[in-house]
Amino acid sequence: MNKSLILVVEDDQAVRNLITTTIEMHEYKYRIAANGESAIMETISYNPDVILLDLGLPDMDGTEVIKKIRSWSKIPIIVISARSEDVDKIEALDAGADDYLTKPFSVEELLARLRVTFRRLTYIQSTSEDEASVFINGELKIDYAAGCVYMSEMELHLTPIEYKMLCLLAKNVGKVLTHTYITKEIWGSSWDNDVASLRVFMATLRKKIEKDTQAPQYIQTHVGIGYRMLKV
């Protein structure tokens, strides 16, 4: 039996049974919650490794559950929702969700999202405090203490904003960061012109770290939502 514990928060019994049957077949342990209040209590009581969260809960919106859990915990939260509009995805991700899966979904995609999340957890946990001052991902290396970035051992000359953007993505490997989150972290605001500036700086940064900007290896675009640093 896999030691990882997954909390499934879903009020639709048919969907809940599909999810729990799928993860049980792949030897994950699980707990279930049918509403927001019990999801919060289960999280406090059992400290799951990952939370699969529906947004349309009977007692409170799922984004409120995310915000409450984020006030004390960094447990990965994968939203599974029938809401497919970009605005819903952005709201959930800005609230603190790590990923977003739209219903109807395939069990293969659900399992793939879980594998990505657990790989990111393993990566974070395996990085010791001594190594925390240096980030290495494929041929990309960031020396936080020196404020230097290297690609294939060659130092890159980044602007201060490019460097801040790269560090922000690197410290959230595997997690989708929304335009709003990034612009607030970089500029302290999130106006339309800030998002436009972000796209420009992202384009210049990619030219410096990607071998092929049309097929990026390190920074993935989520159209209309934001960006994600991939683990190479």
Side-chain angles (χ1 to χ4, degrees), residues 8-199:
V8 180
V9 186
E10 172 63 67
D11 64 319
D12 185 312
Q13 186 171 350
V15 177
R16 188 169 66 234
N17 289 345
L18 171 63
I19 294 173
T20 56
T21 299
T22 299
I23 61 179
E24 187 175 34
M25 286 176 62
H26 289 78
E27 300 188 330
Y28 291 109
K29 295 185 294 183
Y30 67 86
R31 300 281 306 177
I32 60 174
N35 57 52
E37 183 178 354
S38 59
I40 293 168
M41 293 308 299
E42 288 282 329
T43 302
I44 294 171
S45 302
Y46 294 95
N47 191 32
D49 296 291
V50 175
I51 299 172
L52 300 179
L53 175 69
D54 180 29
L55 295 182
L57 300 173
D59 58 340
M60 68 176 75
D61 193 85
T63 54
E64 291 303 312
V65 177
I66 296 170
K67 291 175 184 177
K68 289 180 183 295
I69 291 174
R70 279 290 170 265
S71 69
W72 85 86
S73 174
K74 294 182 178 180
I75 293 170
I77 300 173
I78 301 175
V79 169
I80 301 179
S81 176
R83 301 177 192 174
S84 58
E85 297 295 323
D86 283 348
V87 65
D88 296 309
K89 297 178 183 179
I90 292 169
E91 184 179 7
L93 291 166
D94 272 340
D98 295 84
D99 206 346
Y100 197 108
L101 187 60
T102 304
K103 296 176 182 176
F105 58 91
S106 69
V107 294
E108 289 81 8
E109 184 176 7
L110 171 61
L111 292 168
R113 299 292 181 96
L114 283 171
R115 287 194 297 271
V116 168
T117 300
F118 282 118
R119 280 202 301 271
R120 184 165 67 88
L121 281 175
T122 300
Y123 175 77
I124 293 171
Q125 292 164 359
S126 65
T127 304
S128 67
E129 290 184 4
D130 291 339
E131 296 172 325
S133 63
V134 176
F135 171 83
I136 297 176
N137 186 18
E139 297 179 346
L140 175 66
K141 176 181 176 181
I142 305 174
D143 186 333
Y144 295 120
C148 297
V149 178
Y150 303 85
M151 180 60 68
S152 302
E153 300 302 319
M154 295 290 292
E155 184 175 355
L156 303 180
H157 297 286
L158 304 185
T159 67
I161 289 178
E162 288 170 348
Y163 179 76
K164 287 178 68 175
M165 286 169 48
L166 184 61
C167 290
L168 186 63
L169 289 163
K171 291 177 180 178
N172 292 276
V173 173
K175 181 175 180 178
V176 177
L177 302 184
T178 66
H179 295 135
T180 300
Y181 178 81
I182 296 174
T183 53
K184 283 184 177 178
E185 289 293 314
I186 301 298
W187 289 288
S189 60
S190 187
W191 301 103
D192 289 343
N193 60 332
D194 291 328
V195 176
S197 296
L198 171 63
R199 292 193 177 99

